[in-house]
Structures are given as C-alpha cells and as structure tokens.
C-alpha cells in the first residue's frame, strides 16, 4: 500500500546550521516519542501512516518519517528533514510518497499546522467510513473536539501528486481535526504535544462512541450550549495538559524503549 517518493532529489546543501539547534533536536525526540507510543497503542498501520512537524526556525522544512520503517522503529535521528520541493536535506532515505504530497502541501498551505499527524487508527477510521457525521457529541472526551472538526467528503484515492495534497489542504479550513471519509484522520496542531494529545483523545472518543453504538440504544447527545461550555472548560488548560501528557509518554518510553531518543 505504501509508495516510495520518486521525486526526491540528491540531498540539498544545508543553508545554515539551524538543523543543529537544540530546539530541532528536542523536536526530533518529541516526534519520535509520538511514533513509538502510537505504535504501542495500535494507532499505526504497517509502514503507511505519517507524522510530521515543521522544523523549528525553518518554515520551509519539515520532519517526517522515512519510507519503509514502522512507527515502532522510529528514532529521533532516523527522521528525515524535507523541503516542500521534494529534497531530503537531512537523513537517510526518502519519505513515503503520500506522506510527502499530503504533509508538504498541508504545511505549505496551512501555516498554522506546525504538526500534522495522519493515521488510519481503527476507531476514528471506522467512523470515517460511515455516512453522516463521524463524531457525535455524546461523550465527555468527544467534547474536547467540539467545533474543531471538519469532514472531507471527497475521497480522492492515494495522494500521489500535489493536486490531491492541495485538495486535502483546502478542505481543512479552520479545523484542527479532519475526518477523511473512506480514508482516515488528520490531526493538526501548533505543537507536537498538542497534536499528540488530540490524536490520543480522538481515538479514545471514537472508541467509546463505537462501543456505545453496538448497544442498540440511542446515543444521548449533549445539548449544544453545554457542549460548547464544556469544550471551553477543557481548552483553558489544554496546552499545559498536552505538554504534561507528552512528558509522561517520554518517561514511559525511557523505561521501556529508551532508544527512541537516540
């Protein structure tokens, strides 16, 4: 299902030493932690899904996983640095083709999307396969995403060119969560921690909704005014909660799989 990116050119000459900055190394470690925990929790699919983050200090470059490596194998140093033109400017290998065409176009066309996490995680993807709205505002966890989602109804097959990448980027609008019908989900965030936090809780919200839907009883939907109020309560401390969530992930991994940070 995965495709090697054929447009990558020879490694470009680095234009300055920005890629050696402490902030870049920390981003590598944080992003690698997300890959490892996503694998541990079953939020990945073979070698097909991808997480990316715009390189700190360089709005023209992004970190992404290399083609052919499972999430459970990703380390901080294994991540690639790519530009928006198909050049791999740091790292060994090339990105998966759809990773390049989706993530390069999203980061270029939606600058607020510093982090872009695209997965086929099972519960969220299952809801994206149904007619109608995927996520129903019936569970407290779901309310974290109230007013933050969009549904991309126009499945366009594999994203193997800039046209499909641009179409996906255009579909995002002001949303942070994109349910890609017949495909999967994409989570966008200003930081790696916030994207991770949303990815994790989105799958949990979808999991409990799917479970409730099997009980052959109507879902009890939260009234809009209460849904909005609860969402606002959650957002007050969301950034700090997300930061602490990722810190806990890294502590767990340092005990179980410390090689992620190398």
């Amino acid at each position: 299902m995965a495709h090697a990116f054929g447009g990558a050119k020879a490694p470009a000459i680095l234009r300055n030493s920005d890629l050696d900055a402490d902030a870049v190394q920390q981003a590598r470690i944080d992003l690698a932690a997300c890959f490892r925990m996503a694998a541990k929790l079953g939020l990945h699919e073979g070698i097909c899904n991808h997480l990316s983050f715009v390189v700190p200090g360089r709005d023209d470059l992004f970190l992404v996983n290399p083609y052919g490596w499972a999430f459970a194998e990703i380390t901080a140093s294994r991540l690639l640095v790519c530009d928006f033109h198909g050049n791999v400017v740091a790292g060994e290998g090339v990105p998966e083709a759809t990773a390049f065409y989706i993530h390069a176009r999203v980061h270029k066309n939606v600058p607020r999307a510093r982090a872009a996490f695209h997965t086929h995680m099972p519960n969220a993807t299952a809801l994206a396969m149904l007619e109608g709205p995927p996520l129903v505002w019936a569970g407290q966890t779901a309310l974290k995403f109230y007013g933050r989602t969009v549904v991309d109804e126009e499945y366009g097959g594999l994203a193997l060119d800039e046209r499909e990448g641009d179409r996906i980027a255009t579909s995002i609008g002001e949303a942070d969560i994109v349910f890609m019908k017949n495909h999967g989900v994409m989570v966008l965030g200003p930081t790696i921690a916030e994207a991770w936090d949303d990815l994790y809780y989105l799958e949990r919200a979808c999991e409990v909704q799917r479970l409730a839907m099997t009980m052959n009883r109507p879902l009890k939907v939260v009234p809009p005014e209460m849904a909005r109020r609860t969402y606002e309560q959650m957002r007050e401390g969301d950034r700090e909660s997300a930061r602490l969530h990722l810190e806990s992930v890294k502590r767990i991994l340092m005990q179980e799989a410390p090689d992620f940070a190398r």
Side-chain angles (χ1 to χ4, degrees), residues 20-37:
D20 297 324
D22 290 345
V24 177
Q25 181 58 25
Q26 188 60 58
R28 284 181 171 274
I29 291 170
D30 289 352
L31 192 57
C34 294
F35 280 105
R36 290 297 188 93
M37 188 55 72

Side-chain angles (χ1 to χ4, degrees), residues 42-185:
L43 307 185
H44 62 314
E45 186 169 70
I47 58 170
C48 296
N49 295 172
H50 6 92
L51 315 180
S52 65
F53 185 65
V54 174
V55 172
R58 294 295 300 264
D59 290 346
D60 58 335
L61 303 174
F62 64 100
L63 289 161
V64 70
N65 44 314
Y67 173 65
W69 296 87
F71 277 23
E73 300 178 287
I74 296 300
T75 64
S77 62
R78 187 161 284 154
L79 293 168
L80 305 177
V81 176
C82 299
D83 67 16
F84 297 148
H85 306 291
N87 296 302
V88 177
V89 302
E92 296 183 7
V94 296
E96 198 270 331
T98 63
F100 174 77
Y101 285 116
I102 292 174
H103 292 253
R105 306 313 291 175
V106 166
H107 287 310
K108 180 176 177 61
N109 296 327
V110 189
R112 65 182 176 82
R114 309 295 291 179
F117 289 9
H118 170 56
T119 75
H120 302 165
M121 53 191 189
N123 293 287
T125 300
L127 295 185
M129 294 165 60
L130 303 177
E131 291 283 358
L135 194 60
V136 178
W137 312 117
Q140 178 171 288
T141 303
L143 299 181
K144 173 178 170 65
F145 307 106
Y146 188 79
R148 300 175 60 206
T149 67
V150 70
V151 179
D152 177 9
E153 295 278 1
E154 303 300 323
Y155 177 63
L158 299 183
L160 296 177
D161 55 40
E162 289 186 351
R163 181 174 54 186
E164 178 62 7
D166 285 338
R167 188 199 65 75
I168 292 171
T170 299
S171 76
I172 293 168
E174 298 301 315
D176 299 323
I177 310 297
V178 185
F179 282 93
M180 306 165 78
K181 282 296 182 86
N182 311 109
H183 186 175
V185 294

Side-chain angles (χ1 to χ4, degrees), residues 144 228-241:
K144 173 178 170 65
R228 168 61 63 178
R229 177 184 171 189
T230 306
Y231 157 76
E232 291 172 351
Q233 291 173 325
M234 289 181 172
R235 291 298 277 176
E236 286 180 7
D238 228 17
R239 176 167 293 185
E240 177 64 4
S241 179

Side-chain angles (χ1 to χ4, degrees), residues 193-235:
E194 288 170 270
W196 166 255
D197 198 59
D198 279 348
L199 188 79
Y200 172 85
Y201 283 109
L202 179 64
E203 179 67 354
R204 295 290 289 177
C206 292
E207 181 179 14
V208 295
Q209 179 178 314
R210 181 185 61 79
L211 178 61
M213 290 167 64
T214 68
M215 297 179 180
N216 296 318
R217 296 173 60 183
L219 295 176
K220 181 176 174 57
V221 176
V222 177
E225 60 275 14
M226 182 53 68
R228 168 61 63 178
R229 177 184 171 189
T230 306
Y231 157 76
E232 291 172 351
Q233 291 173 325
M234 289 181 172
R235 291 298 277 176

Side-chain angles (χ1 to χ4, degrees), residues 5 114 117 155 181 191 217 225 245-246 248-249 251:
F5 179 59
R114 309 295 291 179
F117 289 9
Y155 177 63
K181 282 296 182 86
T191 66
R217 296 173 60 183
E225 60 275 14
H245 186 183
L246 184 56
S248 76
V249 165
R251 287 194 300 271

